[in-house]
Amino acid sequence: MMIIMMSLAWYLVLSVLCICGTKGEAFQQSSFRGGSSSHQQRPTDVTSNTRRHTWELPLPSPSSLSSVNRNKPYVLELAEAKISEIEADSKESSANVSSVAATEISDGGGSSSREKVVKLAVGSFSAVAIAAKTGLIAGDAYTDAMIFSDIGTGILTAVLGYVFVKANTLLAKAGILEPKVTRKTIHTFSAPLYMIFWPLYSDYGRFFAACVPLINALRLYLAGNGEEEELGAAVSRSGEVKEAIEGPFVYVVILAISILLFWRESSMVSIIPLCAMAGGDGPADLIGRKFGKTNKWFFSPEKSVAGTMAFFTGATLFSLGIAAWWNFVGLSASGLPPVTGSVAAQVAAITGVCALVELLPNLDDNYSVPLTAAVLSAVVFLQQ
């Protein structure tokens, strides 16, 4: 009886081992061979954008797996292959982390430039406010109400200027407008649009008003050094960001100097030079490129009659428009005559001379045009 029981137990053990061995072979064939019937075929390399797995381990034949002990070398090799796979995934994850870190560092550069601009804005407005409060600007005449009003106007105009420039940079980035168009759009309207808000400042607000172009000068300097690429591309002719520290930078510096030197006390000496620089030079370039290909000046082949007429018209209309607006809002400023026929003729004469100066090939019109307009405006209007 004992012998029969032991025989039955041994039979059951053998049956269990045979069943487990058969299932193990089926699992290995379905997992690593993809159901192939050929015992010599190896899986091909599987490559994707994120992972590359190459199986080089030979798969054993069913006949070689007659016992569980025969599987041990293969299991060890399989474990080594899995470890190699994990190491490859780890290297890939490290590469992805490095890429993300590089992106964050790049974004940090933009944040750094914004921090510099904000620090300059806060510092400049604070410095002027302290000077005004301590009586260094206009003594007791500069009241607290005037100071707070001028600070608010400065912040408002700085924000509106940023929105205007940002809109043009987005149009250039989206490819809706070419950089040379957005550049001249910003060039044409920045100064006149800012001058529309000058009546909101008090009579002593010139230093607060000068802070706005100085802040934009820093932005252009950063753009020219690659820290604000969108702005640099929008204000350049060719898309090269280095052009931001050439003409556009000179533009805002001249705007700041004009505010500090002339402000509203010498109204026409402020209005005409800035409008000639902005409202004259901007349309001259755009109209000249569009309609001036067949009417070049013989002594200045890069300039056209169409561009010169656009310069004269734009500079004259912008100048008269700003003067009329200041008169309309009741701005009390010395040297601001009512816009009459004789005043319009005087302004047209000045802008006409500036248009001719702009044609001279060996002069930089960023300097020559506003300087000429300032001298002529002072001679004509400050003597009245």
Side-chain angles (χ1 to χ4, degrees), residues 32 42 54-60 70-85:
F32 303 106
R42 296 181 182 179
T54 304
W55 296 94
E56 297 292 346
L57 298 176
L59 295 176
R70 296 283 184 88
N71 286 332
K72 287 184 179 180
Y74 176 76
V75 171
L76 292 176
E77 292 180 2
L78 181 60
E80 293 176 355
K82 195 65 178 176
I83 291 173
S84 299
E85 177 187 347

Side-chain angles (χ1 to χ4, degrees), residues 84-233:
S84 299
E85 177 187 347
I86 294 173
E87 290 177 349
D89 290 344
S90 177
K91 292 180 180 179
E92 177 188 350
S93 298
S94 299
N96 291 336
V97 170
S98 299
S99 176
V100 172
T103 302
E104 291 178 351
I105 291 174
S106 176
D107 292 341
S111 299
S112 176
S113 66
R114 286 192 293 270
E115 289 175 1
K116 293 176 182 177
V117 173
V118 171
K119 287 179 180 179
L120 176 63
V122 173
S124 59
F125 280 116
S126 299
V128 176
I130 292 172
K133 184 64 177 176
T134 56
L136 295 178
I137 295 179
D140 295 336
Y142 204 175
T143 64
D144 290 344
M146 291 180 179
I147 294 173
F148 285 115
S149 176
D150 288 343
I151 292 174
T153 302
I155 295 174
L156 172 64
T157 52
V159 171
L160 292 177
Y162 176 83
V163 172
F164 172 69
V165 174
K166 187 65 175 179
N168 281 275
T169 60
L170 292 176
L171 291 174
K173 183 178 180 180
I176 299 176
L177 294 177
E178 297 181 3
K180 60 184 178 182
V181 175
T182 57
R183 176 181 184 272
K184 285 303 179 181
T185 300
I186 296 173
H187 184 101
T188 301
F189 292 102
S190 291
L193 287 176
Y194 185 39
M195 295 173 75
I196 289 175
F197 290 90
W198 283 15
L200 296 178
Y201 288 102
S202 68
D203 291 339
Y204 312 111
R206 73 169 72 200
F207 294 100
F208 285 109
C211 289
V212 177
L214 290 178
I215 293 169
N216 287 315
L218 176 61
R219 290 193 64 203
L220 290 168
Y221 176 80
L222 296 174
N225 287 277
E227 295 191 45
E228 287 200 31
E229 295 184 358
E230 287 185 4
L231 176 60

